[in-house]
Each structure stands twice: as C-alpha cells, then as structure tokens.
Amino acid sequence: QSVLTQPPSVSGAPGQRVTISCTGSSSNIGAGYNVHWYQQLPGTAPKLLIYGNSNRPSGVPDRFSGSKSGTSASLAITGLQAEDEADYYCQSYDSSLSGSVVFGGGTKLTVL
Amino acid sequence: QVQLVQSGAEVKKPGASVKVSCKASGYTFTGYFIHWLRQAPGQGLEWMGWINPISGVTNYAQKFQGWVTMTTDTSISTAYMELRRLRSADTALYYCARERYLNGMDVWGPGATVTVSS
C-alpha cells in the first residue's frame, strides 16, 4: 500500500490531454513538501519529469506540466504522443516518517 | 557527462547478503545525497533510504532498518548498499539516484538486478 495514491491506469488518444492525480495527506503533500514526477519507459530507469511541483528539467517538453493543491498534486500531459506511453510515479516526503521519501504506486499511461 | 554506474547482476541464495555499488562521475559526489530504491518485477518503485556522502548520515525506510547498510567511499565517488538475510521477495532491480535540496532525483543509475533463488 503506497503512501501516495495514484490511479493504476489512464488512457488517451494521440493529441488528447490526460491528467494523473496523486493524493496524499497532511503529513506529506499537505505539509508543504515538494512533489516530483517521474516517467519510466519500458525497460529503462525512471526519469525526472517534473520537480518542485511544477518545474520541468531541461529537455522535458512543455506538454508536461505539474500542479499541487492542498493534499493532492496532478500531472497533465497535452498533445499526447505514442512515445508518452509509460509508467508515471509521483514522489514526495513525509514528516510522520522522519522526512522519508514516499512514492505513489504508479500509473500506466496507454496511448490508444 | 553526469552519470551513475552500478555494479552487475547478482544471484544469491536465501539468507545471503548482497552489496551493490554505484559509482558517480561528472559532478561533485559530496554535493548530492544518494538514494537507493528497488523495483520488483512488474511492481512500482520502493524507496529504501538515502545517504549523505559528505557526512555519512543515513535515513533508512522503516521497513529496511536493521537490514540494510548504506555507505560511501568519497575517495572513489562510490556509494554502496548492502542488504542482508536475503529472501526470494528481495528479487528486484536495485537503483541508485542522486538528489540535492529536495529537488527530486535527477540522475539515476541503470539498475542492478539481484536475484534470490535457491
């Protein structure tokens, strides 16, 4: 059971917009900790996609955006492309666990 | 370029220990925390803990306390993760990743496969 809750799967057609939610609690996201998002393509290591709630590392297309409100965060992907098909994970920190790192269970994005 | 290179695949018997290495290059090793995570086949990411290379201070996930040891050798910019008393459930891909200032894990190693089988 993951500390952060994500939907197991989402899907969308090429060109569409999809969102992936990440729900936490008052001891992690709601406590003001940063939320980060990772993309894991099949057979590869995760890649940092969004850091600090809404910032994109260099090289990440602006089709990817992140937001945070209260105890939840969201990842939005616009102009969906076939190469976006991957697993997506949210990550934060938790004060009830001595500042430990916590992850969501991951969301499988399928591009129809 | 900035990279983390991990040791190769390991096959261990139940009850044995494994030590995975993670060699950093292209950046100041002591400037970033090193995290260790694992991913069992078909499963999500599981955080195991972090180590601050400059001080050696560690923070292990509750599940792994007493069971894992993370160390670094700053002279060769290498981090190590040792897991003891292995069980078949520890079969997984073990990753190292770096992070600074709670800004996310921006560089990851390729992963090291550990298989526990009798």
Side-chain angles (χ1 to χ4, degrees):
Chain A
Q1 198 81 345
S2 301
V3 174
L4 305 179
T5 301
Q6 298 180 234
S9 62
V10 297
S11 62
Q16 283 190 332
R17 178 182 187 268
V18 296
T19 62
I20 298 173
S21 61
C22 175
T23 302
S25 67
S26 59
S27 63
N28 41 67
I29 298 176
Y33 286 111
N34 281 341
V35 177
H36 315 302
W37 291 89
Y38 301 87
Q39 177 193 58
Q40 186 175 31
L41 297 169
T44 68
K47 166 191 166 185
L48 183 63
L49 195 64
I50 297 288
Y51 70 94
N53 307 318
S54 59
N55 302 290
R56 285 186 307 277
S58 173
V60 174
D62 59 6
R63 300 187 296 104
F64 295 91
S65 63
S67 63
K68 173 187 155 181
S69 178
T71 59
S72 295
S74 288
L75 173 70
I77 310 172
T78 59
L80 208 54
Q81 299 180 4
E83 59 259 36
D84 298 334
E85 188 159 294
D87 293 321
Y88 293 84
Y89 295 91
C90 62
Q91 179 247 305
S92 188
Y93 312 85
D94 198 296
S95 60
S96 70
L97 300 170
S98 303
S100 293
V101 169
V102 291
F103 275 92
T107 298
K108 170 68 177 176
L109 168 62
T110 301
V111 181
L112 302 171
Chain B
Q1 73 278 27
V2 176
Q3 60 179 352
L4 298 172
V5 177
Q6 297 186 234
S7 45
E10 303 257 17
V11 179
K12 296 292 182 179
K13 297 261 192 258
S17 299
V18 68
K19 192 169 187 177
V20 180
S21 67
C22 171
K23 182 171 177 59
S25 62
Y27 74 96
T28 302
F29 180 62
T30 51
Y32 291 75
F33 281 25
I34 293 290
H35 293 268
W36 288 92
L37 310 94
R38 72 180 187 180
Q39 188 169 35
Q43 302 300 308
L45 297 169
E46 182 175 30
W47 179 75
M48 301 176 69
W50 57 248
I51 182 167
N52 181 349
I54 203 168
S55 65
V57 171
T58 55
N59 181 11
Y60 301 143
Q62 283 182 350
K63 171 178 178 177
F64 295 97
Q65 287 176 8
W67 185 24
V68 71
T69 301
M70 297 176 189
T71 56
T72 58
D73 184 340
T74 56
S75 69
I76 55 172
S77 300
T78 300
Y80 302 92
M81 184 283 300
E82 181 179 32
L83 193 61
R84 299 176 290 280
R85 302 188 305 274
L86 292 168
R87 306 161 301 170
S88 57
D90 297 316
T91 293
L93 194 54
Y94 287 76
Y95 291 107
C96 61
R98 76 169 195 178
E99 182 183 37
R100 185 163 67 174
Y101 303 143
L102 302 184
N103 278 327
M105 301 173 204
D106 67 337
V107 178
W108 291 64
T113 299
V114 175
T115 302
V116 183
S117 174
S118 55

